[in-house]
Amino acid sequence: MNKLLEVKDLNISFHTFAGEVQAIRGVNFDLYEGETLAIVGESGSGKSVTTKSIMQLLSANSEIKSGEILFNDRDIVKAPEKEMQKIRGKDISMIFQDPMTSLNPTMTIGNQIMEPLLKHRKLNKTEAKHRAIELLNLVGIPKPQLRIKQYPHQFSGGMRQRVVIAIALACAPKVLIADEPTTALDVTIQGQILDLMKDLQKRIETSIIFITHDLGVVANVADRVAVMYGGKIIEVGTVDEIFYNPQHPYTWGLISSMPSLDTTEEELYVIPGTPPDLLHPPKGDAFAPRNPYAMKIDLEEEPPMLKVSDTHYAATWLLHPNAPKVDPPLAVKERWNKFQKQVGSLNGGK
């Protein structure tokens, strides 16, 4: 597969009254043609900030301190705003968390879908309207000829999310960023949206960056997974490597805390402690204060990305040849096995 997007040593800070928040600290990842890369982690780990920087949609008090974002071998960190306006919506599109706030309540659904087609594809209004109807039909909106004249408040939450997907896919972008697109939806609609995205990805051959804190979603949609913590990617690998052979204690904690249908409140695992204060980033491994397997070196020196396989890397000193042998907690394997059975039953045993 060809490499489509490459993020190199990205560092982003927010300037606040309290001081400089080092939100993103040396993030590196690649995205290949036709793949889905999931970025997972707790709230505040840096998932959304990382991907918004790709679109150059960061807030006014933010600053990309250093690093590169290479798209088609061009560093778009240095791209002027006029060039980014040509890229946004055409080559790189984004689906945001809340479809109601993403849509303009004063514009019809049809005009909102037509807007990128008129701007980037240079279609006339008749052609753009015809294409908008096709897109609504493509994302499963019934009676698109009627719906195109309606406003966002006349759609349900799931339907609004389908409209947002139609807008994002209007120009067949090379990269689609989905920022927790199913968070506000119930489980049934969530499954429909995920199936829709997988189907559309095959049709238009786009690459997807899928941001989520829900590992169950990751198992269903991703090819590769990047785990973020404290503004860094601390483990990356194929979806099977991350779930069946996780190496970082934080990843163990995430998998252990996945709920299943037979989980009781008393059984649900919770990672102890709180995320690090990025106003004053820790000296060593940011996860060390919450890590029951932390060693002295974790408090003194930040671990590098150590190789597990050609596709699997993790930033933990436990992978060092001189580290003691530590096996993942039994809860990790039990939780994943329960989840697999749950998925199988929901899919009719397939």
Side-chain angles (χ1 to χ4, degrees):
M1 290 188 293
N2 295 322
K3 190 181 295 184
L4 188 60
L5 183 75
E6 186 175 5
V7 176
K8 292 184 175 182
D9 195 26
L10 187 65
N11 291 272
I12 301 173
S13 291
F14 287 86
H15 301 286
T16 70
F17 290 113
E20 181 182 339
V21 178
Q22 299 176 41
I24 303 300
R25 306 181 297 136
V27 163
N28 296 274
F29 68 86
D30 304 323
L31 180 69
Y32 293 87
E33 289 182 353
E35 81 162 343
T36 297
L37 171 69
I39 301 179
V40 303
E42 292 170 286
S43 296
S45 60
K47 308 182 300 294
S48 294
V49 174
T50 298
T51 49
K52 282 181 180 178
S53 69
I54 296 171
M55 297 277 284
Q56 299 295 312
L57 291 176
L58 295 173
S59 60
N61 68 330
S62 65
E63 179 187 1
I64 297 179
K65 304 282 284 189
S66 61
E68 296 177 308
I69 302 173
L70 302 177
F71 176 65
N72 287 339
D73 298 322
R74 166 88 162 92
D75 185 5
I76 56 177
V77 167
K78 300 174 182 177
E81 177 58 21
K82 280 191 175 181
E83 183 176 341
M84 286 306 303
Q85 288 176 4
K86 295 177 182 178
I87 292 174
R88 292 190 203 108
K90 180 177 181 289
D91 295 318
I92 306 175
S93 286
M94 193 164 189
I95 303 169
F96 295 95
Q97 289 187 32
D98 186 354
M100 194 58 191
T101 57
S102 300
L103 296 169
N104 187 332
T106 68
M107 291 177 63
T108 65
I109 292 299
N111 284 337
Q112 294 186 63
I113 299 175
M114 289 165 61
E115 192 171 29
L117 295 168
L118 294 169
K119 179 178 176 58
H120 296 300
R121 287 288 184 89
K122 307 300 181 184
L123 302 182
N124 61 45
K125 287 190 176 181
T126 301
E127 292 171 332
K129 182 179 180 181
H130 179 71
R131 179 56 180 157
I133 291 172
E134 288 181 343
L135 285 163
L136 283 179
N137 188 56
L138 187 67
V139 298
I141 301 288
K143 301 179 181 178
Q145 293 89 346
L146 172 65
R147 290 293 208 168
I148 201 172
K149 302 173 185 177
Q150 295 180 334
Y151 291 84
H153 72 271
Q154 296 174 280
F155 288 69
S156 67
M159 288 292 188
R160 284 195 292 264
Q161 193 62 289
R162 289 172 184 266
V163 171
V164 171
I165 292 172
I167 295 171
L169 296 178
C171 295
K174 295 178 181 177
V175 176
L176 177 65
I177 300 171
D179 187 357
E180 304 208 35
T182 60
T183 298
L185 306 177
D186 63 61
V187 175
T188 303
I189 302 302
Q190 181 185 87
Q192 293 175 4
I193 295 297
L194 293 176
D195 288 342
L196 171 65
M197 290 186 65
K198 287 190 289 185
D199 179 57
L200 293 177
Q201 182 185 27
K202 293 176 182 177
R203 294 194 194 190
I204 68 173
E205 299 180 345
T206 191
S207 301
I208 297 177
I209 299 176
F210 200 102
I211 307 167
T212 184
H213 60 268
D214 187 341
L215 284 175
V217 169
V218 170
N220 287 321
V221 303
D223 299 305
R224 286 192 304 131
V225 182
V227 182
M228 285 196 77
Y229 182 79
K232 288 179 169 289
I233 289 178
I234 50 89
E235 185 162 7
V236 62
T238 66
V239 67
D240 285 344
E241 287 171 333
I242 295 299
F243 280 112
Y244 291 111
N245 188 32
Q247 297 296 316
H248 200 287
Y250 178 63
T251 312
W252 297 348
L254 288 180
I255 294 174
S256 298
S257 62
M258 282 195 330
S260 61
L261 291 176
D262 58 352
T263 299
T264 66
E265 187 176 348
E266 291 76 23
E267 291 176 328
L268 191 61
Y269 176 80
V270 177
I271 301 174
T274 57
D277 178 7
L278 296 182
L279 269 170
H280 308 286
K283 180 181 177 183
D285 184 352
F287 188 61
R290 307 174 71 184
N291 182 6
Y293 311 98
M295 300 174 285
K296 184 179 179 181
I297 192 173
D298 284 301
L299 301 171
E300 299 173 349
E301 190 173 342
E302 188 177 319
M305 274 288 197
L306 298 173
K307 183 177 180 179
V308 182
S309 72
D310 289 341
T311 55
H312 190 186
Y313 293 81
T316 171
W317 287 117
L318 292 176
L319 289 173
H320 193 278
N322 296 333
K325 176 66 175 176
V326 176
D327 292 322
L330 185 61
V332 173
K333 187 173 182 179
E334 289 177 345
R335 185 67 63 200
W336 180 239
N337 286 338
K338 284 182 179 179
F339 179 76
Q340 284 288 76
K341 291 177 182 178
Q342 175 182 327
V343 172
S345 65
L346 290 174
N347 290 336
K350 294 179 182 178

Short mmCIF file of all heavy atoms in Angstrom, two decimals, residues 160-184:
data_model
loop_
_atom_site.label_atom_id
_atom_site.label_comp_id
_atom_site.label_asym_id
_atom_site.label_seq_id
_atom_site.Cartn_x
_atom_site.Cartn_y
_atom_site.Cartn_z
N ARG A 160 -29.28 12.86 10.76
CA ARG A 160 -28.36 14.01 10.66
C ARG A 160 -26.93 13.55 10.49
O ARG A 160 -26.16 14.14 9.73
CB ARG A 160 -28.51 14.90 11.90
CG ARG A 160 -29.75 15.76 11.91
CD ARG A 160 -29.67 16.86 12.92
NE ARG A 160 -29.69 16.38 14.29
CZ ARG A 160 -30.78 16.31 15.05
NH1 ARG A 160 -31.96 16.68 14.56
NH2 ARG A 160 -30.71 15.86 16.29
N GLN A 161 -26.57 12.48 11.20
CA GLN A 161 -25.20 11.98 11.06
C GLN A 161 -24.96 11.43 9.65
O GLN A 161 -23.87 11.59 9.09
CB GLN A 161 -24.92 10.90 12.11
CG GLN A 161 -23.45 10.53 12.25
CD GLN A 161 -22.59 11.69 12.71
OE1 GLN A 161 -22.36 12.63 11.95
NE2 GLN A 161 -22.11 11.64 13.93
N ARG A 162 -25.97 10.82 9.06
CA ARG A 162 -25.86 10.35 7.68
C ARG A 162 -25.69 11.53 6.72
O ARG A 162 -24.92 11.44 5.75
CB ARG A 162 -27.10 9.54 7.29
CG ARG A 162 -27.19 8.19 7.97
CD ARG A 162 -28.52 7.51 7.71
NE ARG A 162 -28.65 6.27 8.44
CZ ARG A 162 -28.34 5.06 7.96
NH1 ARG A 162 -27.91 4.95 6.72
NH2 ARG A 162 -28.47 3.98 8.70
N VAL A 163 -26.37 12.64 7.00
CA VAL A 163 -26.22 13.84 6.17
C VAL A 163 -24.79 14.38 6.28
O VAL A 163 -24.17 14.76 5.28
CB VAL A 163 -27.24 14.92 6.58
CG1 VAL A 163 -26.93 16.25 5.88
CG2 VAL A 163 -28.65 14.46 6.25
N VAL A 164 -24.26 14.42 7.50
CA VAL A 164 -22.89 14.90 7.71
C VAL A 164 -21.90 14.02 6.94
O VAL A 164 -20.94 14.51 6.34
CB VAL A 164 -22.55 14.93 9.21
CG1 VAL A 164 -21.07 15.22 9.42
CG2 VAL A 164 -23.38 15.98 9.93
N ILE A 165 -22.13 12.71 6.95
CA ILE A 165 -21.28 11.79 6.19
C ILE A 165 -21.39 12.08 4.70
O ILE A 165 -20.39 12.08 3.97
CB ILE A 165 -21.65 10.33 6.50
CG1 ILE A 165 -21.28 10.00 7.96
CG2 ILE A 165 -20.94 9.37 5.54
CD1 ILE A 165 -21.78 8.64 8.42
N ALA A 166 -22.61 12.34 4.22
CA ALA A 166 -22.82 12.67 2.79
C ALA A 166 -22.05 13.93 2.41
O ALA A 166 -21.42 13.98 1.34
CB ALA A 166 -24.31 12.85 2.51
N ILE A 167 -22.07 14.94 3.28
CA ILE A 167 -21.33 16.18 3.00
C ILE A 167 -19.83 15.89 2.96
O ILE A 167 -19.11 16.36 2.07
CB ILE A 167 -21.64 17.24 4.07
CG1 ILE A 167 -23.11 17.66 4.00
CG2 ILE A 167 -20.74 18.47 3.91
CD1 ILE A 167 -23.56 18.54 5.16
N ALA A 168 -19.34 15.10 3.93
CA ALA A 168 -17.91 14.80 4.00
C ALA A 168 -17.43 14.00 2.79
O ALA A 168 -16.29 14.16 2.35
CB ALA A 168 -17.61 14.03 5.29
N LEU A 169 -18.32 13.16 2.25
CA LEU A 169 -17.93 12.31 1.13
C LEU A 169 -18.29 12.91 -0.23
O LEU A 169 -18.02 12.29 -1.26
CB LEU A 169 -18.61 10.95 1.26
CG LEU A 169 -18.21 10.11 2.48
CD1 LEU A 169 -19.00 8.81 2.49
CD2 LEU A 169 -16.71 9.81 2.49
N ALA A 170 -18.86 14.10 -0.25
CA ALA A 170 -19.37 14.69 -1.49
C ALA A 170 -18.32 14.75 -2.59
O ALA A 170 -18.60 14.48 -3.76
CB ALA A 170 -19.93 16.09 -1.22
N CYS A 171 -17.09 15.09 -2.23
CA CYS A 171 -16.03 15.24 -3.23
C CYS A 171 -15.09 14.04 -3.28
O CYS A 171 -13.98 14.14 -3.81
CB CYS A 171 -15.24 16.52 -2.96
SG CYS A 171 -16.20 18.03 -3.14
N ALA A 172 -15.54 12.91 -2.70
CA ALA A 172 -14.73 11.68 -2.68
C ALA A 172 -13.32 11.96 -2.17
O ALA A 172 -12.33 11.78 -2.88
CB ALA A 172 -14.69 11.03 -4.06
N PRO A 173 -13.18 12.41 -0.91
CA PRO A 173 -11.86 12.78 -0.38
C PRO A 173 -10.93 11.57 -0.27
O PRO A 173 -11.37 10.43 -0.14
CB PRO A 173 -12.19 13.33 1.00
CG PRO A 173 -13.44 12.62 1.39
CD PRO A 173 -14.23 12.49 0.12
N LYS A 174 -9.64 11.86 -0.31
CA LYS A 174 -8.65 10.80 -0.14
C LYS A 174 -8.55 10.38 1.32
O LYS A 174 -8.25 9.23 1.63
CB LYS A 174 -7.29 11.29 -0.65
CG LYS A 174 -7.25 11.56 -2.14
CD LYS A 174 -5.90 12.09 -2.57
CE LYS A 174 -5.87 12.40 -4.07
NZ LYS A 174 -4.58 12.99 -4.50
N VAL A 175 -8.77 11.35 2.24
CA VAL A 175 -8.70 11.07 3.68
C VAL A 175 -9.99 11.56 4.34
O VAL A 175 -10.41 12.69 4.13
CB VAL A 175 -7.49 11.78 4.33
CG1 VAL A 175 -7.49 11.56 5.84
CG2 VAL A 175 -6.18 11.31 3.72
N LEU A 176 -10.61 10.68 5.12
CA LEU A 176 -11.80 11.03 5.89
C LEU A 176 -11.46 10.89 7.37
O LEU A 176 -11.07 9.81 7.83
CB LEU A 176 -12.97 10.12 5.53
CG LEU A 176 -14.26 10.31 6.32
CD1 LEU A 176 -14.85 11.69 6.04
CD2 LEU A 176 -15.27 9.22 5.98
N ILE A 177 -11.60 11.98 8.12
CA ILE A 177 -11.36 11.96 9.56
C ILE A 177 -12.71 11.90 10.26
O ILE A 177 -13.55 12.78 10.07
CB ILE A 177 -10.58 13.21 10.02
CG1 ILE A 177 -9.22 13.28 9.30
CG2 ILE A 177 -10.38 13.20 11.53
CD1 ILE A 177 -8.49 14.59 9.52
N ALA A 178 -12.93 10.86 11.04
CA ALA A 178 -14.20 10.68 11.75
C ALA A 178 -13.94 10.84 13.24
O ALA A 178 -13.34 9.95 13.87
CB ALA A 178 -14.79 9.30 11.45
N ASP A 179 -14.34 11.97 13.81
CA ASP A 179 -14.08 12.29 15.22
C ASP A 179 -15.26 11.83 16.07
O ASP A 179 -16.23 12.55 16.26
CB ASP A 179 -13.84 13.79 15.37
CG ASP A 179 -13.39 14.17 16.78
OD1 ASP A 179 -13.31 13.26 17.63
OD2 ASP A 179 -13.10 15.36 17.02
N GLU A 180 -15.16 10.60 16.58
CA GLU A 180 -16.21 9.99 17.41
C GLU A 180 -17.60 10.22 16.80
O GLU A 180 -18.48 10.79 17.44
CB GLU A 180 -16.13 10.54 18.83
CG GLU A 180 -14.77 10.33 19.46
CD GLU A 180 -14.80 10.20 20.97
OE1 GLU A 180 -15.77 9.63 21.50
OE2 GLU A 180 -13.86 10.67 21.61
N PRO A 181 -17.81 9.76 15.57
CA PRO A 181 -19.06 10.08 14.86
C PRO A 181 -20.29 9.38 15.41
O PRO A 181 -21.40 9.71 15.01
CB PRO A 181 -18.77 9.61 13.43
CG PRO A 181 -17.79 8.49 13.60
CD PRO A 181 -16.93 8.90 14.77
N THR A 182 -20.12 8.41 16.31
CA THR A 182 -21.28 7.67 16.81
C THR A 182 -21.52 7.89 18.30
O THR A 182 -22.37 7.24 18.90
CB THR A 182 -21.11 6.16 16.55
OG1 THR A 182 -19.93 5.69 17.22
CG2 THR A 182 -20.99 5.88 15.07
N THR A 183 -20.80 8.84 18.90
CA THR A 183 -20.87 9.04 20.36
C THR A 183 -22.28 9.37 20.83
O THR A 183 -22.76 8.87 21.85
CB THR A 183 -19.91 10.16 20.80
OG1 THR A 183 -18.57 9.75 20.48
CG2 THR A 183 -20.00 10.42 22.28
N ALA A 184 -22.98 10.23 20.11
CA ALA A 184 -24.30 10.71 20.56
C ALA A 184 -25.45 9.82 20.10
O ALA A 184 -26.61 10.17 20.31
CB ALA A 184 -24.52 12.14 20.05
#
